[in-house]
């Protein structure tokens, strides 16, 4: 077999001229970037360790332009990487050297707010928080609230199936989107879902959400709005041991309580965020839990009493309950700013996104502590404790190649430990390029072939965000890791070496 030959700089330049000239016929000049200094801001998403300049960046202003761009790229066999706000953390929006970036940032119109149907119809470039701001005069809001909600867009949320601190009670993006309009790689406009309670045919809306830009390009989204709760209060509970904190999380759910939010941070995380936002965190605690209750005053009062009893019974050393809306938001401000706080104390951080059963939170945290010693790197732990969605932040210096190599290995081991504990590789950040090799551990060849078959059904040409999310058999053979399913190794009766 002949090794693939890298195209020459001259060949790349010629291809760029061909693609740019073709795109100039379908979008205005101001919607097209192709000089290196103009495309550099698009060379990565939030996973800045991986970078690549594309042939061009297209910023369409209408749905029709999106169609024409895709039709042109399909005709020229040009790969397309859809992009939202670029806040993703898995490298899902990293460009390809021989492709273009299709940015939906200029499609930012709020098409309609319907307070009677409790829906909002928006274009993909609308920020997550902007939906709630537009719905606020009607006493409504959009529930999924990723920590990046001030910047991330609804199109990106659909692509990654984003969650947030309130996803335990109110669900992820997939539970709050009713309808999506999108354009296929061939330029065909299609619609998924319905404004009614059901729609004819297969439920392809749930397949599209979380597909990481590999199936179609989103151009319009209708989301479900819910009434703002009358009252919300937060308990901030301190623990002298992270395992006790993890056990308390499982105990709250086991008691039949479903809090509006249930988040946990370890001591390194609380110190980092307290220095950043002064949220009033207990700096002596090894871990803190934020447990929110919302609803009517009577419901909240009862739930706060019940959660407090469970927390004390499971070793909470200190309990603080928010006394005002200002204090509630102050408690949450630290959790919401954990990622930027990490950026203040370390040149770089590598955020993982594995998910484990709640009973495994404590054991996984203990395993991560062992890995810190193994790799010689610090790790802050912040996570959606209620649904076991872990967000370890590995701190490293990206200018040191050895540190970056160790950070990658550390992150991979965390993810594969999540799978070994019966969990999964991602809860809301997606697979992208960061976790594609670890997909070989969670899924067998037949399962991965099924994923690729779905990809081909939506995108037969394979031009939409290729090389992301789903590994090929050849890639997994090269990776050479053993598959772990539901926390069980295959053939457990055999000795391991």
């Amino acid at each position: 077999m002949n090794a693939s030959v890298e195209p020459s700089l001259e060949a790349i330049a010629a291809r760029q001229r061909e693609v740019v000239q073709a795109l100039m016929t379908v979008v205005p000049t101001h919607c097209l970037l192709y000089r290196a200094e103009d495309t550099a801001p698009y060379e990565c998403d939030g996973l800045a360790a991986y970078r690549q300049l594309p042939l061009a960046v297209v910023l369409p202003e209408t749905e029709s332009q999106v169609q024409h761009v895709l039709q042109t790229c399909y005709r020229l066999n040009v790969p397309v990487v859809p992009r939202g706000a670029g806040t993703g953390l898995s490298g899902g929006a990293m460009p390809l050297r021989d492709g273009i970036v299709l940015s939906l940032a200029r499609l930012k119109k709020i098409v309609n707010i319907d307070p009677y149907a409790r829906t909002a119809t928006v274009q993909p470039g609308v920020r997550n928080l902007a939906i709630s701001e537009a719905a606020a005069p009607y006493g409504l809001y959009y529930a999924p609230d990723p920590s990046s909600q001030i910047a991330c867009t609804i199109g990106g949320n659909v692509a990654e199936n984003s969650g947030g601190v309130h996803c335990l009670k109110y669900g992820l993006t997939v539970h709050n989107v009713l309808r999506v309009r999108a354009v296929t790689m061939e330029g065909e406009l299609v619609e998924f879902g319905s404004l009614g309670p059901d729609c004819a045919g297969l439920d392809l809306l749930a397949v599209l959400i979380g597909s990481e830009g590999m199936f179609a390009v989103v151009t319009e989204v209708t989301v479900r709005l819910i009434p703002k709760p009358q009252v919300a209060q937060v308990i901030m509970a301190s623990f002298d041991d992270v395992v006790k904190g993890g056990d308390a999380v499982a105990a709250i759910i086991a008691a039949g309580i479903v809090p509006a939010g249930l988040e946990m941070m370890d001591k390194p995380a609380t110190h980092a965020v307290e220095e950043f936002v002064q949220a009033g965190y207990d700096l002596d605690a090894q871990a803190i839990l934020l447990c929110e209750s919302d609803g009517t005053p009577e419901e909240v009062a009862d739930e706060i009493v019940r959660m407090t009893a469970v927390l004390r019974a499971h070793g909470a050393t200190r309990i603080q309950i928010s006394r005002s809306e200002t204090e509630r938001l102050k408690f949450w401000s630290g959790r919401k700013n954990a990622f930027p706080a990490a950026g203040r104390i370390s040149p770089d951080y590598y955020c993982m996104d594995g998910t484990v059963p709640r009973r495994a939170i404590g054991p996984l945290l203990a395993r991560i502590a062992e890995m810190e010693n193994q790799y010689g790197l610090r790790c802050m732990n912040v996570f959606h404790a209620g649904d076991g969605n872990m967000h370890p932040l590995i701190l490293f210096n990206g200018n040191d190649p050895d540190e970056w190599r160790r950070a990658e290995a550390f992150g991979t081991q965390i993810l594969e430990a999540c799978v070994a504990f019966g969990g999964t590789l991602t809860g809301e950040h997606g697979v992208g390029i960061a976790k594609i090799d670890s997909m070989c551990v969670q899924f067998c060849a037949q399962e991965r072939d099924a994923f690729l078959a779905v990809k081909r059904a939506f995108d037969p040409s394979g031009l939409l965000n290729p090389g992301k999310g789903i590994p090929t058999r050849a890639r997994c053979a090269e990776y050479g890791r053993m598959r772990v399913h539901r926390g069980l190794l295959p053939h457990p009766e055999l000795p391991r070496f």
Side-chain angles (χ1 to χ4, degrees):
M1 182 184 296
N2 293 328
S4 59
V5 178
E6 279 288 311
S8 66
L9 294 178
E10 292 79 6
I12 293 172
R15 179 62 163 166
Q16 184 186 47
R17 286 193 296 271
E18 177 190 19
V19 172
V20 169
Q21 287 171 4
L23 291 171
M24 281 182 172
T25 66
V26 297
V27 295
T29 305
H30 67 271
C31 294
L32 185 60
L33 308 175
Y34 53 89
R35 295 184 178 89
E37 62 268 26
D38 295 326
T39 60
Y42 298 86
E43 66 182 353
C44 67
D45 57 14
L47 184 61
Y50 298 104
R51 300 169 183 265
Q52 176 63 60
L53 289 178
L55 293 177
V57 176
V58 188
L59 297 102
E61 297 173 321
T62 66
E63 185 178 73
S64 176
Q65 288 177 3
V66 173
Q67 289 181 274
H68 289 138
V69 169
L70 289 169
Q71 288 166 352
T72 300
C73 291
Y74 179 70
R75 175 172 56 82
L76 295 176
N77 201 39
V78 177
V80 176
V81 176
R83 178 185 169 101
T87 58
L89 293 167
S90 64
M94 192 189 83
L96 301 169
R97 189 181 189 186
D98 60 344
I100 70 159
V101 168
L102 182 59
S103 170
L104 286 306
R106 291 182 179 173
L107 295 176
K108 54 183 180 181
K109 183 185 300 182
I110 295 178
V111 178
N112 180 50
I113 301 287
D114 187 337
Y116 299 103
R118 294 181 180 172
T119 62
T121 299
V122 303
Q123 291 183 325
V126 172
R127 293 178 302 110
N128 176 289
L129 186 59
I131 298 176
S132 291
E133 291 170 345
Y138 306 102
L140 303 170
Y141 76 109
Y142 178 61
D145 55 346
S147 295
S148 58
Q149 69 175 151
I150 192 171
C152 68
T153 58
I154 193 65
N157 292 172
V158 168
E160 302 291 356
N161 193 21
S162 303
V165 299
H166 291 98
C167 63
L168 175 63
K169 183 173 183 178
Y170 295 108
L172 301 162
T173 301
V174 70
H175 305 112
N176 291 275
V177 170
L178 299 172
R179 184 187 66 98
V180 170
R181 280 165 64 95
V183 182
T184 68
M185 187 65 216
E186 293 89 345
E188 180 185 1
L189 186 63
V190 290
E191 191 168 301
F192 302 89
S194 166
L195 298 183
D198 198 1
C199 61
L202 300 175
D203 183 10
L204 296 180
L205 177 64
V207 176
L208 180 72
I209 295 174
S211 60
E212 302 190 35
M214 297 188 296
F215 293 178
V217 177
V218 173
T219 56
E220 188 176 277
V221 183
T222 300
V223 303
R224 177 184 290 109
L225 302 174
I226 61 174
K228 282 187 170 181
Q230 294 179 35
V231 177
Q233 275 188 295
V234 174
I235 300 173
M236 183 162 62
S238 303
F239 291 86
D240 58 10
D241 181 81
V242 291
V243 176
K244 289 181 183 177
D247 291 343
V249 170
I252 287 173
I253 305 300
I257 304 168
V258 182
L262 186 53
E263 300 286 307
M264 186 171 172
M265 290 182 284
D266 67 5
K267 189 170 186 176
T270 56
H271 276 251
V273 298
E274 184 64 19
E275 183 181 336
F276 185 40
V277 297
Q278 290 83 49
Y281 290 162
D282 180 357
L283 297 181
D284 295 324
Q286 293 298 316
I288 65 166
L289 275 180
L290 295 175
C291 315
E292 179 161 289
S293 175
D294 67 9
T296 66
E298 295 78 13
E299 289 172 334
V300 171
D302 175 68
E303 200 165 81
I304 291 290
V305 169
R306 292 169 63 205
M307 285 197 292
T308 299
V310 172
L311 292 166
R312 291 196 186 283
H314 284 80
T317 57
R318 177 177 167 184
I319 297 282
Q320 295 172 260
I321 301 172
S322 62
R323 294 160 296 183
S324 66
E325 180 66 3
T326 299
E327 189 171 38
R328 183 185 76 86
L329 294 175
K330 186 178 179 183
F331 285 176
W332 278 122
S333 68
R335 172 60 186 89
K336 288 276 189 177
N337 285 283
F339 289 8
R344 293 179 75 248
I345 64 171
S346 175
D348 298 279
Y349 64 84
Y350 191 26
C351 178
M352 294 295 99
D353 177 40
T355 299
V356 295
R358 283 180 287 267
R359 66 179 182 277
I361 289 175
L364 179 64
L365 290 172
R367 182 80 62 85
I368 290 173
E370 295 171 2
M371 294 179 200
E372 286 187 85
N373 294 326
Q374 178 184 345
Y375 291 102
L377 296 171
R378 294 176 296 159
C379 183
M380 288 170 42
N381 288 286
V382 297
F383 49 94
H384 306 313
D387 52 8
N389 187 191
M390 315 294 286
H391 290 335
L393 300 176
I394 300 166
L395 309 181
F396 71 102
N397 181 359
N399 292 320
D400 183 334
D402 179 63
E403 280 204 19
W404 171 226
R405 180 192 59 76
R406 282 185 281 137
E408 277 193 302
F410 190 170
T412 297
Q413 191 169 342
I414 290 174
L415 292 177
E416 294 177 9
C418 289
V419 175
F421 277 119
T424 186
L425 299 169
T426 178
E428 57 171 334
H429 293 174
V431 175
I433 58 173
K435 305 168 192 165
I436 190 166
D437 286 333
S438 295
M439 287 283 285
C440 305
V441 173
Q442 180 156 12
F443 299 102
C444 70
Q446 291 77 15
E447 289 168 322
R448 299 191 305 270
D449 287 347
F451 298 158
L452 289 168
V454 177
K455 160 73 170 167
R456 285 192 296 271
F458 280 86
D459 177 27
S461 63
L463 292 173
L464 270 177
N465 215 9
K468 312 282 179 65
I470 310 169
T472 62
R473 286 197 177 202
R475 184 175 189 127
C476 288
E478 184 177 341
Y479 187 54
R481 296 292 181 88
M482 182 180 293
R483 183 198 179 214
V484 178
H485 184 60
R486 296 181 184 269
L488 300 174
L489 291 170
H491 306 294
E493 73 280 3
L494 297 178
R496 303 295 174 196
F497 300 94

